[in-house]
Amino acid sequence: MLSTMQDDQLSLANLLRHGSKLYADSEVITWTGGEARRETYGEVGKHSAQLANALRGLGVTGDQRVGTFMWNNAEHLAAYLAIPAMGAVLHTLNIRLFPEQLVFVANHAEDHVVIVDGTLVPLFAKQLPEMKTVRHVIVANGDPASLEAPAGVQVHSYDELVSGQPETFDWPEIDERSAAAMCYTSGTTGDPKGVVYSHRSIWLHSMQVCMTDSMRLDQSDKALVIVPMFHAMSWGMPYAAMMVGASMIMPDRFLQPEPIAQILAAERPTFAGAVPTIWQGLLQHLEANPQDISHLREVVVGGSAAPPAMMHTFEEKYGVPILHAWGMTETSPLGSVARPPASATGQEAWEYRYTQGRFPASVRARLINDAGEEVPWDGESVGELEVKGPWIAASYYGGIEVDPDKFHDGWLRTGDVGKITPDGFLTLTDRAKDVIKSGGEWISSVDLENHVMSHPAVAEAAVIGVPDEKWDERPLVAVVVREGQQVTAEELREYLQDKVAKWQLPEHWSFVDEVPKTSVGKFDKKRLRSAHAEGKLDIRHF
Ligand code: AMP
């Protein structure tokens, strides 16, 4: 028997209409380094309509892809709303991707238009000639004349293009299962992989983000959205905030501890989200420059493990609880949130809060061991985490080759290894692969190894992540020099300059006689890590 309920579609056009009308006075505040720019959600609605009209005017139709190469700001929010609401697909380009990967993702997604922040034009301009499908570039908050257009590409000023456009748009009815937005994730090997979110998945995810046991966002909140809109959809905060009328503070390019402290003092947000690196940096800044931050009712931390010591300092010294959460680009990204059971108090509650968190009703989870068997949720048995749910990816976009087991029998293999308590709290113990998490971004150890090993004097190179106070982890390269050859760490670092992004350049180097190997001849990074932890490696630091 079919239900008698309406089949109304969960579309971002409805979200935009709702947020901009019912919460017309809520604000998006963009930090500028000086006086903040303020826009009400009512104005966001009008600007989104103007942007949609402008994009239509450039010929954007159907599900064409519109890329953004932007910081978190009001213009990026308008793009987040206008592009999916008009039926097109928002593609958030990660400004930190290595140039070749940036070109790859723009071509793979077939971006037709890209909106670029003025300050990012120099970074974007170098790769634009290789982006084969881009016909229009819109420069926001900057001078379009600063971008030299290759043949066949028109460059526009955002302000000129958008101002004068009608402030309403006839938003189409959209099938909730159609693509709304896409984001590429760069893993250890191979090309970046595109995750395509639907209107439905974003809607359901936004509801979960706002729920009391998740981020608890509501209309009284002022959320400081530090986590980039080009990485895992800013943890879903922009859409969730629009849904409930929470105001947003966007830091634009001002992500260092000092400006973050200034934003906190000036705007007194009630909520904020960022990777541990940002909070560690802020803590150090506050040590030297004390300031009241107790207006923050809570901050959410994820992307890599939140160090317990940091959680304690925040809460006990500054009165700000940290909420630990786990997720990935493929999970929209909210996968689990560490709110302790109501009955837990004192240290018991802390123990729950250190974990990666408990799964919400829509996220099913299981742990699979090396033999391919499910292991029990007993808080001890370890396995690879697999998840399933309405905002979890079922495949990657456009035939990217991945391990065929990545999405087996309808579950996503996360590559994360851990254990789960009987009441559903996940603790990650390891990563199945050995990517290095630096400041919330991935560094592929395999990539670095391959580049170092391409040097003629190098026989072998293995890269591991070593703990770093500021960036969580930084790469350490263990190098075996070929017999009869000589090379210094300086020369190898120099050699990498034009091969990897600058922020990926390793600053720790160690020359070893051999890289420890596993029984099947693979680099044994576990042993390398222990050697490092035990201080057995002779390291040249930069
Ligand atoms: P990304 O898709 O770039 O957001 O990265 C997702 C990966 O980050 C996950 O698969 C985990 O390995 C890692 N990660 C995310 N949140 C946490 C967390 N709270 N603790 C430890 N690792 C995390």
Side-chain angles (χ1 to χ4, degrees):
M1 183 165 72
L2 283 178
S3 82
T4 63
M5 307 315 286
Q6 296 184 5
D7 198 16
D8 201 30
Q9 301 296 291
L10 306 173
S11 94
L12 295 187
N14 288 344
L15 185 78
L16 169 58
R17 254 191 299 256
H18 171 82
S20 59
K21 187 169 163 58
L22 279 74
Y23 303 108
D25 294 336
S26 296
E27 283 184 308
V28 55
I29 299 153
T30 306
W31 197 246
T32 64
E35 203 180 326
R37 292 192 282 134
R38 312 184 91 83
E39 223 175 85
T40 64
Y41 281 8
E43 288 164 330
V44 168
K46 290 178 190 161
H47 291 157
S48 302
Q50 288 183 308
L51 176 59
N53 281 307
L55 291 170
R56 250 325 164 250
L58 296 182
V60 173
T61 57
D63 60 359
Q64 267 181 336
R65 266 69 70 203
V66 178
T68 53
F69 196 73
M70 305 174 85
W71 303 108
N72 291 14
N73 52 33
E75 289 73 20
H76 208 167
L77 180 65
Y80 253 56
L81 295 162
I83 296 164
M86 69 187 283
V89 181
L90 164 75
H91 174 198
T92 55
L93 289 153
N94 185 340
I95 65 165
R96 301 200 180 118
L97 280 186
F98 190 57
E100 281 155 27
Q101 292 185 326
L102 181 63
V103 169
F104 172 84
V105 299
N107 286 337
H108 189 260
E110 300 176 278
D111 292 339
H112 184 68
V113 179
V114 183
I115 310 175
V116 182
D117 268 325
T119 54
L120 297 171
V121 162
L123 199 58
F124 183 75
K126 284 186 222 140
Q127 272 59 60
L128 178 59
E130 293 172 64
M131 295 180 180
K132 298 192 190 83
T133 58
V134 175
R135 293 290 162 267
H136 299 275
V137 178
I138 304 172
V139 178
N141 303 315
D143 180 10
S146 62
L147 181 60
E148 203 180 312
V153 178
Q154 288 178 38
V155 180
H156 313 265
S157 145
Y158 184 94
D159 289 341
E160 280 173 27
L161 197 69
V162 165
S163 64
Q165 295 284 351
E167 292 180 346
T168 57
F169 187 88
D170 190 12
W171 305 110
E173 287 296 320
I174 297 167
D175 178 343
E176 65 180 21
R177 288 185 164 76
S178 53
M182 63 196 302
C183 181
Y184 282 75
T185 173
S186 40
T188 31
T189 48
D191 294 320
K193 296 153 191 79
V195 177
V196 183
Y197 310 103
S198 66
H199 289 258
R200 172 186 155 85
S201 71
I202 291 176
W203 187 286
L204 295 172
H205 181 262
S206 304
M207 290 178 71
Q208 182 63 49
V209 165
C210 297
M211 274 178 82
T212 348
D213 270 344
S214 290
M215 296 188 207
R216 212 171 262 186
L217 276 186
D218 71 30
Q219 54 177 318
S220 66
D221 271 317
K222 242 176 132 178
L224 175 57
V225 185
I226 302 176
V227 53
M229 293 168 85
F230 56 74
H231 190 171
M233 303 306 284
S234 218
W235 297 352
M237 281 193 276
Y239 293 126
M242 262 274 146
M243 185 172 260
V244 295
S247 287
M248 280 180 269
I249 305 161
M250 300 298 200
D252 201 82
R253 61 188 186 281
F254 304 99
L255 299 169
Q256 304 72 26
E258 199 179 336
I260 293 289
Q262 287 167 356
I263 299 173
L264 292 174
E267 296 295 337
R268 302 181 65 77
T270 59
F271 184 79
V275 294
T277 314
I278 297 273
W279 301 120
Q280 297 274 32
L282 181 70
L283 274 186
Q284 272 177 31
H285 176 85
L286 293 179
E287 287 297 308
N289 311 272
Q291 156 183 338
D292 171 37
I293 58 164
S294 62
H295 45 83
L296 286 164
R297 64 164 175 79
E298 190 162 63
V299 299
V300 62
V301 176
S304 49
M310 181 180 96
M311 296 175 71
H312 280 279
T313 311
F314 255 85
E315 181 149 337
E316 286 151 16
K317 193 158 176 197
Y318 296 98
V320 180
I322 281 185
L323 179 65
H324 191 197
W326 166 86
M328 49 199 301
T329 307
E330 289 90 333
T331 65
S332 286
L334 194 148
S336 61
V337 183
R339 258 192 218 290
S343 59
T345 53
Q347 189 54 33
E348 191 195 2
W350 275 110
E351 297 294 333
Y352 276 110
R353 291 177 56 191
Y354 302 152
T355 72
Q356 270 69 21
R358 178 140 69 168
F359 304 101
S362 302
V363 178
R364 286 197 268 164
R366 67 184 187 190
L367 295 172
I368 304 290
N369 66 15
D370 282 347
E373 297 151 350
E374 206 171 328
V375 304
W377 289 16
D378 56 10
E380 284 173 16
S381 307
V382 168
E384 183 180 350
L385 174 68
E386 299 193 352
V387 287
K388 186 177 172 71
W391 57 78
I392 312 269
S395 65
Y396 290 121
Y397 175 64
I400 295 263
E401 289 230 352
V402 286
D403 174 352
D405 279 346
K406 181 79 195 174
F407 300 98
H408 66 104
D409 65 54
W411 292 73
L412 167 78
R413 282 180 67 174
T414 64
D416 287 329
V417 172
K419 51 197 181 183
I420 302 177
T421 58
D423 50 353
F425 281 82
L426 165 75
T427 296
L428 292 185
T429 51
D430 210 344
R431 283 176 222 141
K433 294 182 180 164
D434 292 304
V435 284
I436 298 155
K437 269 275 169 118
S438 175
E441 296 291 333
W442 292 109
I443 297 180
S444 160
S445 56
V446 176
D447 250 359
L448 281 179
E449 285 160 9
N450 289 343
H451 284 305
V452 178
M453 287 192 285
S454 71
H455 189 283
V458 174
E460 274 179 356
V463 176
I464 55 168
V466 297
D468 184 278
E469 258 184 33
K470 183 162 180 211
W471 301 108
D472 289 333
E473 277 189 340
R474 291 296 299 159
L476 177 149
V477 194
V479 182
V480 181
V481 180
R482 279 186 198 286
E483 257 189 64
Q485 302 267 351
Q486 275 191 337
V487 68
T488 64
E490 279 84 350
E491 286 165 354
L492 287 175
R493 223 172 109 89
E494 180 61 31
Y495 176 71
L496 289 185
Q497 291 279 354
D498 62 346
K499 295 181 180 60
V500 302
K502 204 167 160 213
W503 60 273
Q504 298 190 345
L505 276 181
E507 53 269 271
H508 311 293
W509 296 77
S510 181
F511 288 88
V512 293
D513 292 335
E514 64 167 312
V515 174
K517 308 271 181 359
T518 66
S519 56
V520 288
K522 292 189 186 175
F523 288 169
D524 191 343
K525 294 195 183 177
K526 241 196 203 147
R527 272 161 62 201
L528 204 53
R529 281 196 199 98
S530 342
H532 172 260
E534 289 160 18
K536 289 187 184 150
L537 297 179
D538 190 5
I539 302 174
R540 164 84 173 90
H541 300 281
F542 286 86

